């Protein structure tokens, strides 16, 4: 399931950022997201989280959302994997 | 609008709030293609948004529905396309196409979440439940849109109609990923071609 979460998350980011899959395939754990990409404002992040809920079949609570979780691809992936393991 | 006095006339109810910006380019590109197919189209502003002279804070969902109905009569359109949240306001007496319909509560939830994120960045803690209660009691500003209490109350339970008579257009028909997901408004020639083709064929039938 971990590989699947990784792939699903990359696909979501490619849809949200308007990037080609090949570009998103190049993301690694330290690739910066919120605070690093100008197009990722709060509304875009809200959209990203909603897509993650739909496609990863998880529920994200208010308390889950913090800057650290959104800062890099690695931290967002770790969050998504932990949430999927819970559900 | 593209009004050449054609017989085939389509009203377009846009995606709502922030999504309207991201879907604007696609909407206009579809209108250009329809014009070349001999179909007039009219993209309205929801009351209280864009060029509307109304104040958004005073709008209710019924006001929006009435305004769309009035626009359909004014432009003489027998057909309507709803895009995303716009599908919540397509008049039932017109032939309807719904592209990727969105639910009211889902749209609200996302706007509330965006506000929580922005507030948190500014060092203020807010919660979804708390903001929703404020919204229902006195209205609320969400990502730059001031919404009245009546609007919030009605909008939070609005779901797109599921009548068999509605022509549903899913993203799988259009291809690619939905442009409303884009952080930065984008465009897609292929998606505009596909959506225009669905509508042009439908209106000629």
């Amino acid at each position: 399931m971990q590989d699947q979460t990784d792939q699903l998350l990359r696909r979501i980011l490619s849809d949200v950022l308007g990037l080609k899959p090949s570009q998103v395939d190049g993301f690694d754990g330290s690739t910066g997201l919120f605070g690093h990409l100008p197009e990722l404002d709060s509304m875009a992040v809200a959209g990203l989280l909603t897509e993650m809920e739909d496609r990863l079949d998880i529920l994200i609570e208010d308390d889950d959302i913090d800057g650290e979780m959104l800062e890099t691809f690695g931290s967002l992936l770790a969050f998504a994997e932990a949430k999927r393991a819970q559900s | 609008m593209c009004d050449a006095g054609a017989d085939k006339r389509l009203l377009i109810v846009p995606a709502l709030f922030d999504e309207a910006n991201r879907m604007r380019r696609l909407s206009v590109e579809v209108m250009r293609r329809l014009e070349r197919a001999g179909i007039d189209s009219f993209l309205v502003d929801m009351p209280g948004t864009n060029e509307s002279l109304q104040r958004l804070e005073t709008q209710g969902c019924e006001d929006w529905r009435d305004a769309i109905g009035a626009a359909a009569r004014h432009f003489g359109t027998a057909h309507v396309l709803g895009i995303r949240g716009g599908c919540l306001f397509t008049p039932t007496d017109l032939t309807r196409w719904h592209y990727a319909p969105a639910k009211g509560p889902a749209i609200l939830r996302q706007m509330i979440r965006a506000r929580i994120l922005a507030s948190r960045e500014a060092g203020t803690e807010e919660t979804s439940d708390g903001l929703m209660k404020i919204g229902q009691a006195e209205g609320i500003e969400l990502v730059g849109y001031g919404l009245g209490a009546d609007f919030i109350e009605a909008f939070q339970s609005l779901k797109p109609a599921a009548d068999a008579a509605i022509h549903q257009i899913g993203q799988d028909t259009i291809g690619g990923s939905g442009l409303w997901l884009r952080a930065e408004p984008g465009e897609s020639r292929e998606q505009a071609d596909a959506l225009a083709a669905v509508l042009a064929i439908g209106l000629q039938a």
Side-chain angles (χ1 to χ4, degrees):
Chain A
M1 191 163 83
Q2 283 193 354
D3 282 354
Q4 197 198 6
T5 306
D6 182 286
Q7 284 309 308
L8 286 168
L9 188 61
R10 284 179 198 271
R11 182 63 212 266
I12 294 168
L13 283 166
S14 114
D15 291 348
V16 169
L17 297 173
L19 296 173
K20 293 194 185 84
S22 59
Q23 291 171 289
V24 177
D25 285 345
F27 281 14
D28 63 26
S30 62
T31 302
L33 299 175
F34 192 46
H36 300 270
L37 300 170
E39 61 268 52
L40 269 188
D41 60 9
S42 59
M43 193 63 208
V45 170
L48 170 66
L49 296 174
T50 305
E51 275 309 289
M52 285 173 62
E53 288 186 318
D54 285 353
R55 295 198 217 172
L56 301 175
D57 198 23
I58 57 175
L59 192 66
I60 301 174
E61 311 283 352
D62 294 344
D63 294 344
D64 293 332
I65 306 166
D66 62 42
E68 215 167 289
M69 172 263 260
L70 294 158
E71 198 181 345
T72 62
F73 178 71
S75 57
L76 192 61
L77 179 60
F79 168 78
E81 283 172 344
K83 274 280 162 188
R84 291 191 94 193
Q86 280 171 25
S87 58
Chain B
M1 70 169 109
C2 291
D3 189 0
D7 293 338
K8 308 279 186 191
R9 301 165 79 75
L10 176 76
L11 188 72
I12 302 179
V13 188
L16 304 180
F17 308 118
D18 189 67
E19 282 192 0
N21 301 324
R22 302 183 223 175
M23 300 306 282
R24 176 92 182 175
R25 181 81 186 149
L26 179 77
S27 308
V28 170
E29 283 299 308
V30 167
M31 292 171 75
R32 287 189 211 284
R33 284 158 173 75
L34 292 176
E35 184 186 26
R36 290 201 287 273
I39 297 165
D40 287 347
S41 58
F42 307 85
L43 177 62
V44 296
D45 284 333
M46 302 310 269
T49 67
N50 292 340
E51 290 179 51
S52 163
L53 300 175
Q54 306 280 326
R55 280 169 48 83
L56 182 58
E57 292 81 358
T58 61
Q59 299 300 314
C61 290
E62 276 309 310
D63 298 322
W64 275 15
R65 207 164 278 122
D66 291 348
I68 299 297
R73 288 189 295 278
H74 177 77
F75 294 116
T77 54
H79 304 88
V80 61
L81 166 69
I83 300 176
R84 298 283 296 156
C87 301
L88 300 166
F89 298 96
T90 51
T92 52
D93 55 342
L94 271 58
T95 304
R96 289 168 284 173
W97 278 265
H98 281 182
Y99 171 41
K103 295 173 185 151
I107 294 170
L108 263 189
R109 181 148 187 258
Q110 195 157 317
M111 292 170 85
I112 285 175
R113 188 170 264 175
R115 169 158 164 166
I116 290 174
L117 276 159
S119 300
R120 199 160 286 178
E121 285 294 294
T124 311
E125 285 296 318
E126 293 176 321
T127 65
S128 299
D129 290 347
L131 291 175
M132 199 63 202
K133 283 202 183 96
I134 293 170
Q136 285 168 307
E138 58 196 59
I140 192 168
E141 168 127 354
L142 296 174
V143 288
Y145 295 94
L147 303 174
D150 292 348
F151 186 95
I152 297 271
E153 185 61 37
F155 194 71
Q156 64 155 342
S157 58
L158 273 192
K159 298 214 170 89
D163 313 6
I166 298 169
H167 303 278
Q168 302 285 353
I169 309 171
Q171 190 59 30
D172 50 346
T173 304
I174 302 304
S177 63
L179 293 174
W180 63 88
L181 296 173
R182 293 281 177 88
E184 188 66 18
E187 63 181 322
S188 163
R189 186 181 298 174
E190 294 79 12
Q191 294 195 29
D193 285 347
L195 185 50
V198 170
L199 294 164
I201 292 165
L203 264 88
Q204 304 298 350

